[in-house]
Amino acid sequence: MLDMITKFSACCKAAGLKVSPLEVIDCMSQLRHIDATDEAAFRSLLMANFIKSRRDQPRFLEIYHLFFHELRTSFQDAVEESDDPETPKQKRVKEIIEKIREELGENMEGLENLLDYLGGDPEDFLNEVQEIHNMVEQRSMAIKVKSNMGQLSNRLSVMLKINQIRQKALQLAGDLDAEGDTFTRREIEAYFATMLDRSFDLLTRDKRPDNIALKEVSRTDPRFFDIGEKPFATLTPVEMERTKEITDRLVRKLKDMATRRYAARNKGVLDVRKTLRRAGRFQGVPLELHFRDKPLRKGKIVALCDVSGSVWSVARFMLAILYSLQECFNGIKSYAFVSDVADITPLFKDNPVNEAIEKVFSESGIDTRMLTDYGSSFVSFRERHMQELSTKTTLLIIGDARSNYQNPHQEILEEMRDRCRRVIWLNPEPMTTWSSGDSEMFTYKAHCHEIRPCRNLNQLVTFIEELVL
């Protein structure tokens, strides 16, 4: 039983779940309190120890079903200990696998992981698949072009190996009818076909966590009926000035409200010790009540802004408002990106807000000639700025999630989420276009706490008020 649970925990880690040796030890110590042959109780025990949040549950159940059902005849065969734990069918499958190894001989390079997977040990194959999913592409400095060819070629290589083994397995399974084996050729062929199809699915299907708590804001109250519904990207110079006047009034209003909110006293519970200590002035009578001050905590904002095309028309207004309200936050850090990330916070510290916004293109070092690549930008952020994220940080991403069919690297966004208090994505496109073309919004939303369109003044004002208040 220990060997089986250890192998299963290794498979979970290979699939991206976080399982520690201590949790395996806890799992083994708790087994004596349940009937291990009761699958519901056994599965619940593993879930209680190996799953950290509800988001990991779909991935855990997928690996559980693969390990205890698909790679074995039944759950009972997996957990029951016997002198000969292998069933006749498993023995026949392993014989065919060994024959494949013998026939391929020196041509076995790269096939071991897949054959081990078919033999009931999927750990190395899951590791290989995870490495392909997390592969980071390197840009060619000579031509300044980057593609997904490295990842795609590795994935194609594994697909070719799957087809190669499929052909060999079907060829060797043809000898079973002549031998009069209990398990006919059809059953063995079905096993290899099912498991190889499953390996193809593991290789190609995108794994999304359960994000049932996602807040999707699709509608806002119309504050301004004319200019409020007009997209930022289509505003005329006159309308831009009018929009700035409206946002300036909003900033003054929010500053006043936030100042009163943070300056209010006596918000905490009664401080008995301090009240009695001060009562000595009045012969022990507590004429003055003292409270434990618990001022409202100010959050930290990290803004990651796409500065390409129509997205920048939204980002510039967002940055202007955030920096005008910076006394309402513990700190604001801003980063601009196209295919690489640049820290633009110093521009806002050394210049007035409007001047800083104008200097983002000229002095930030962003190469706007590059194709937008969210995955590459996330990689750069992880390498250079990940320390800016903490449990008090709200990560604000402003972008259309159109990544020119590059690797989205959603696993890095998941790492950011793990370090943040909240991840909020503002998209300047209408929700009806989020799953069209090269948009990765459907992929990224599984790793956010909140997503909402933000393409006009009404949507921006509603979001800023909720963020500050």
Side-chain angles (χ1 to χ4, degrees):
M1 182 65 76
L2 174 61
D3 182 59
M4 180 192 62
I5 292 182
T6 302
K7 287 181 179 179
F8 176 67
S9 68
C11 291
C12 288
K13 287 191 285 186
L17 298 177
K18 298 175 182 177
V19 180
S20 69
L22 183 60
E23 289 161 345
V24 177
I25 294 173
D26 289 342
C27 189
M28 291 303 303
S29 66
Q30 294 161 11
L31 276 175
R32 64 176 179 267
H33 300 296
I34 67 167
D35 179 7
T37 60
D38 181 356
E39 183 175 5
F42 181 76
R43 184 176 60 244
S44 298
L45 176 64
L46 293 177
M47 290 176 64
N49 285 279
F50 291 173
I51 292 183
K52 305 299 184 296
S53 69
R54 180 171 179 172
R55 292 170 57 76
D56 296 330
Q57 185 172 335
R59 188 62 170 155
F60 171 86
L61 292 176
E62 180 182 36
I63 301 303
Y64 176 89
H65 191 263
L66 172 69
F67 189 87
F68 288 103
H69 290 276
E70 295 181 69
L71 291 173
R72 285 154 181 81
T73 306
S74 68
F75 172 76
Q76 298 300 327
D77 292 334
V79 299
E80 288 180 355
E81 299 180 358
S82 64
D83 295 334
D84 187 10
E86 292 185 350
T87 64
K89 182 177 180 179
Q90 289 174 323
K91 291 179 180 179
R92 177 60 71 184
V93 167
K94 289 193 174 183
E95 287 176 9
I96 293 178
I97 292 174
E98 288 304 318
K99 288 182 180 179
I100 293 175
R101 284 191 169 99
E102 292 174 5
E103 290 194 9
L104 293 175
E106 296 180 356
N107 299 323
M108 275 293 298
E109 183 180 357
L111 295 175
E112 284 291 347
N113 293 345
L114 195 53
L115 290 175
D116 289 342
Y117 158 81
L118 292 171
D121 183 11
E123 179 185 354
D124 292 336
F125 179 71
L126 291 172
N127 268 319
E128 183 179 359
V129 170
Q130 193 71 11
E131 288 175 4
I132 292 175
H133 282 312
N134 297 341
M135 181 177 292
V136 176
E137 299 289 340
Q138 299 297 323
R139 181 183 293 113
S140 170
M141 299 305 295
I143 59 177
K144 292 188 177 182
V145 172
K146 181 172 65 63
S147 69
N148 278 339
M149 289 307 299
Q151 187 186 60
L152 292 175
S153 63
N154 285 351
R155 191 169 284 163
L156 178 60
S157 176
V158 177
M159 292 179 185
L160 293 174
K161 294 171 187 175
I162 292 174
N163 288 335
Q164 183 181 1
I165 291 180
R166 190 192 302 271
Q167 293 173 2
K168 283 289 182 184
L170 293 178
Q171 178 184 346
L172 294 172
D175 301 332
L176 293 179
D177 286 339
E179 297 177 8
D181 200 285
T182 306
F183 295 96
T184 64
R185 171 183 176 179
R186 182 178 298 177
E187 291 174 306
I188 296 298
E189 286 179 349
Y191 172 81
F192 278 100
T194 301
M195 295 315 302
L196 290 172
D197 288 343
R198 189 75 176 86
S199 67
F200 185 87
D201 182 64
L202 289 169
L203 179 67
T204 58
R205 187 166 58 85
D206 188 19
K207 313 301 185 299
R208 292 190 178 92
D210 184 353
N211 199 16
I212 195 172
L214 174 68
K215 179 181 178 182
E216 294 188 68
V217 181
S218 57
R219 305 182 70 178
T220 55
D221 295 331
R223 305 288 189 87
F224 310 96
F225 290 96
D226 48 359
I227 195 173
E229 293 298 323
K230 193 169 185 179
F232 287 121
T234 62
L235 293 179
T236 64
V238 175
E239 291 170 332
M240 290 275 285
E241 289 300 322
R242 187 180 169 195
T243 301
K244 287 180 181 178
E245 293 175 3
I246 294 173
T247 56
D248 287 343
R249 290 201 302 269
L250 172 67
V251 165
R252 289 194 296 270
K253 172 186 173 183
L254 293 178
K255 278 184 178 179
D256 291 340
M257 295 176 68
T259 300
R260 291 195 299 270
R261 202 165 159 228
Y262 286 107
R265 301 180 61 82
N266 300 340
K267 283 187 175 293
V269 298
L270 179 67
D271 191 335
V272 178
R273 295 178 62 185
K274 193 173 183 179
T275 299
L276 294 178
R277 192 163 56 246
R278 299 292 178 87
R281 304 176 184 176
F282 310 103
Q283 299 181 357
V285 179
L287 296 180
E288 294 181 357
L289 299 180
H290 293 272
F291 297 83
R292 295 176 183 171
D293 284 337
K294 288 187 177 180
L296 296 171
R297 294 182 299 174
K298 297 180 181 180
K300 177 183 175 182
I301 302 292
V302 172
L304 195 56
C305 304
D306 182 354
V307 296
S308 62
S310 62
V311 180
W312 177 238
S313 62
V314 176
R316 64 184 300 156
F317 280 107
M318 177 62 68
L319 290 173
I321 294 175
L322 287 178
Y323 276 92
S324 299
L325 292 169
Q326 56 186 321
E327 60 263 34
C328 299
F329 307 102
N330 273 339
I332 301 176
K333 296 282 288 185
S334 301
Y335 301 91
F337 72 91
V338 175
S339 65
D340 196 8
V341 173
D343 186 356
I344 59 175
T345 307
L347 294 178
F348 288 90
K349 287 184 177 179
D350 301 335
N351 303 279
V353 173
N354 291 331
E355 290 183 19
I357 289 174
E358 299 301 326
K359 291 183 177 182
V360 166
F361 286 104
S362 59
E363 299 183 15
S364 66
I366 292 291
D367 188 354
T368 56
R369 296 171 297 176
M370 301 296 295
L371 295 175
T372 306
D373 188 343
Y374 280 74
S376 177
S377 300
F378 288 158
V379 170
S380 299
F381 186 89
R382 180 176 63 178
E383 292 174 350
R384 304 199 295 265
H385 307 293
M386 203 68 161
Q387 70 279 1
E388 297 295 339
L389 303 181
S390 68
T391 54
K392 295 182 180 180
T393 302
T394 295
L395 176 60
L396 192 59
I397 303 175
I398 308 168
D400 57 8
R402 296 196 175 274
S403 198
N404 292 289
Y405 301 101
Q406 302 294 330
N407 187 343
H409 281 296
Q410 65 271 21
E411 74 281 353
I412 300 180
L413 183 58
E414 182 67 18
E415 291 179 33
M416 296 179 184
R417 177 192 170 108
D418 290 341
R419 297 172 68 101
C420 288
R421 177 171 171 259
R422 283 193 301 169
V423 176
I424 303 175
W425 194 299
L426 304 180
N427 195 317
E429 293 186 345
M431 296 183 76
T432 53
T433 66
W434 286 4
S435 297
S436 64
D438 61 346
S439 176
E440 297 289 349
M441 197 64 206
F442 185 70
T443 299
Y444 286 138
K445 77 174 187 177
H447 307 278
C448 299
H449 293 90
E450 180 180 337
I451 59 172
R452 59 168 75 204
C454 187
R455 58 195 305 264
N456 57 49
L457 185 60
N458 284 334
Q459 293 170 342
L460 179 61
V461 167
T462 301
F463 169 71
I464 288 294
E465 288 184 346
E466 292 182 10
L467 182 66
V468 175
L469 304 179

